[in-house]
Amino acid sequence: MPNYRTLRDPNAEYTMRDLSSETMQLTADRGPRDVEITDVQTTMVDGNYPWILVRVYTDAGLVGTGESYWGGGDDAIIERMTPFLVGENPLDIDRLYEHLVQKMSGEGSISGKVISAISGIEIALHDVAGKILDVPAYQLVGGKYRDDVRIYCDLHTEDEADPVACADEGERVVEELGYDAIKFDLDVPSGHEKDRANRHLRGPEIDHKVEIVSEVLDRVGNRADVAFDCHWSFSAGSAKRLARELEAYDVWWLEDPVPPENHDVQREVTQSTTTPITVGENVYRTHGQRRLLEEQSVDIIAPDLPRVGGMRETQKVAQLADMYYVPVAMHNVSSPIGTMASAQVAAAIPNSLAVEYHSYQLGWWEDLVEEDNLIENGRMEVPEKPGLGLTLDLDAVEEYMVEGETLFDEA
């Protein structure tokens, strides 16, 4: 593999907006808060998604742990950015975030994998900053609105196209696991498809999706809120028809009914129906979420914290959403690290609706950290311990690493 830390990037070398501490002439004595970053490392865990864990090491012996959005590429990008962080004070979270965005602007820091990689570092900075200052991470993003955060559980069955199977699982999770908020996929084969490429839903396909919604809601009743995810699968006309058919049902929200690139179409679909529409996981930073909110193209905004830009960027999205009286339901498919980062921010914003949990069928999800009972009865308590309040179990991380991966160093 190439040495990404020494990879040359003329844009990063010659950018006029270099925000390093040296360029900004940050020389004031901070006393015990004079801490420097010494290294950044990653390890990928083979969960129900390939989770990329990030660690920021300091000369104070304190280590912060974060998580980037899953998949390939982020680890190499983090290696690429490490030289921009070594020697910096990890408490300067905003400046370091903007420093990385600027340094990586020539490599695509508007969106995508670069922002996801920066997100993982940013979360780790919050964790280590909390440890340096001896405060929980939520205190760094404004303080607390709530002691625990509502969690909604993303459900799956062996036959996701069977309305009865979905209803059975929904009822089981509500009764046995105690969740009062759940979600199902609605972009499932109905058996009536004629063409998978054109995004068009025929009448029998819409009838099948309505049958799933009807069966689940009838069985779950008022014991839980139920959302349905379309994974940006349908045409504008089909999405509007489906949403109108669902207006007769108490759907918590219909998620991503159309592809995410065209905000004009998204606005048209949302404003055509009283069925609540949720969007947000596929756009990046506050800039990406802005039009969705300003043009009232969503009823609920759903940023993914390890993808959108990290903890403070998610807070900024929430603040913008609050100006339009829009609640925040964070998309989340993370390990306990990314999930807790989302919960920390959810505790600190007024308009938090819920945080997603996608690993209820993975028996060892919680084994990655030393803490137990992270989610109980559909709630996630926000720790009062410094930083994120979680301690990685390195033995478990090593056990579940992606094949060929290397474990990062201990603190």
Side-chain angles (χ1 to χ4, degrees):
M1 286 183 59
N3 185 346
Y4 290 104
R5 297 192 183 200
T6 60
L7 199 63
R8 185 169 180 268
D9 180 347
N11 186 80
E13 293 169 11
Y14 300 118
T15 177
M16 292 298 294
R17 194 168 177 261
D18 187 315
L19 301 179
S20 67
S21 56
E22 181 180 5
T23 302
M24 299 301 292
Q25 300 180 7
L26 301 178
T27 59
D29 184 0
R30 306 191 198 188
R33 293 180 289 110
D34 263 332
V35 178
E36 290 188 3
I37 296 171
T38 58
D39 199 8
V40 183
Q41 298 179 15
T42 62
T43 295
M44 192 181 301
V45 173
D46 193 12
N48 54 324
Y49 292 84
W51 297 314
I52 301 173
L53 302 181
V54 184
R55 301 203 100 178
V56 170
Y57 296 79
T58 70
D59 62 358
L62 298 172
V63 173
T65 304
E67 181 173 352
S68 291
Y69 194 78
W70 63 274
D74 295 50
D75 47 359
I77 296 169
I78 290 169
E79 280 283 302
R80 173 77 183 88
M81 294 187 292
T82 295
F84 306 144
L85 294 167
V86 171
E88 294 285 350
N89 192 314
L91 295 175
D92 295 340
I93 299 173
D94 273 2
R95 179 177 61 82
L96 294 180
Y97 175 84
E98 291 295 334
H99 181 50
L100 294 178
V101 168
Q102 186 66 32
K103 280 286 192 179
M104 297 297 289
S105 59
E107 299 181 45
S109 61
I110 293 174
S111 63
K113 283 293 183 180
V114 175
I115 288 299
S116 162
I118 293 174
S119 299
I121 293 170
E122 196 262 11
I123 296 167
L125 291 174
H126 275 90
D127 189 34
V128 75
K131 293 173 181 176
I132 294 169
L133 300 174
D134 196 28
V135 296
Y138 73 77
Q139 207 71 66
L140 301 175
V141 289
K144 185 187 284 187
Y145 278 90
R146 50 193 67 85
D147 285 332
D148 55 38
V149 172
R150 192 182 190 193
I151 301 295
Y152 79 86
C153 193
D154 193 300
L155 306 188
H156 296 274
T157 71
E158 291 186 2
D159 187 359
E160 296 187 313
D162 180 5
V164 174
C166 291
D168 287 344
E169 183 65 355
E171 195 166 32
R172 184 189 74 82
V173 168
V174 170
E175 288 185 351
E176 297 181 10
L177 304 184
Y179 288 93
D180 65 358
I182 57 178
K183 185 171 78 175
F184 288 92
D185 291 347
L186 210 53
D187 57 322
V188 292
S190 67
H192 302 290
E193 289 80 13
K194 298 295 184 182
D195 189 324
R196 295 292 184 88
N198 60 28
R199 299 195 178 101
H200 178 71
L201 287 174
R202 301 172 58 244
E205 295 174 75
I206 291 179
D207 291 343
H208 173 254
K209 299 183 189 313
V210 172
E211 185 181 357
I212 292 174
V213 171
S214 177
E215 186 71 27
V216 170
L217 292 179
D218 182 62
R219 292 274 294 281
V220 171
N222 60 7
R223 293 174 293 173
D225 293 315
V226 188
F228 296 89
D229 196 344
C230 300
H231 291 107
W232 48 95
S233 296
F234 308 132
S235 67
S238 293
K240 287 189 283 188
R241 289 168 59 216
L242 174 62
R244 281 198 297 267
E245 288 295 321
L246 296 181
E247 288 177 356
Y249 300 89
D250 186 19
V251 171
W252 200 18
W253 71 68
L254 187 66
E255 185 170 336
D256 285 318
V258 293
E261 297 92 347
N262 191 322
H263 284 198
D264 295 329
V265 173
Q266 180 62 60
R267 181 183 63 245
E268 180 183 339
V269 169
T270 299
Q271 295 182 359
S272 74
T273 181
T274 59
T275 297
I277 302 296
T278 298
V279 179
E281 70 181 87
N282 282 310
V283 289
Y284 295 84
R285 307 185 66 199
T286 309
H287 297 77
Q289 311 277 351
R290 180 180 61 84
R291 281 190 65 195
L292 289 171
L293 293 162
E294 287 183 349
E295 299 180 10
Q296 300 179 49
S297 304
V298 292
D299 297 300
I300 299 165
I301 198 79
D304 189 296
L305 189 148
R307 187 182 199 178
V308 76
M311 295 178 67
R312 291 185 67 81
E313 195 71 9
T314 301
Q315 181 196 34
K316 292 174 185 177
V317 171
Q319 289 171 337
L320 180 59
D322 201 39
M323 294 177 65
Y324 294 90
Y325 318 126
V326 172
V328 178
M330 293 185 207
H331 180 266
N332 173 62
V333 293
S334 299
S335 80
I337 300 300
T339 304
M340 182 58 76
S342 295
Q344 293 273 351
V345 173
I349 59 175
N351 49 340
S352 175
L353 189 62
V355 172
E356 184 174 12
Y357 174 53
H358 213 291
S359 303
Y360 79 110
Q361 294 173 319
L362 187 69
W364 53 266
W365 181 81
E366 199 172 80
D367 294 347
L368 290 179
V369 295
E370 294 180 4
E371 291 74 18
D372 298 321
N373 304 316
L374 298 183
I375 301 174
E376 290 189 294
N377 295 316
R379 312 291 295 193
M380 190 170 205
E381 185 176 350
V382 180
E384 290 299 326
K385 295 192 294 185
L388 295 180
L390 297 180
T391 306
L392 271 186
D393 185 324
L394 293 186
D395 290 336
V397 172
E398 186 172 25
E399 179 181 355
Y400 295 112
M401 287 190 309
V402 169
E403 184 177 355
E405 183 60 278
T406 301
L407 184 66
F408 35 45
D409 295 338
E410 295 188 27

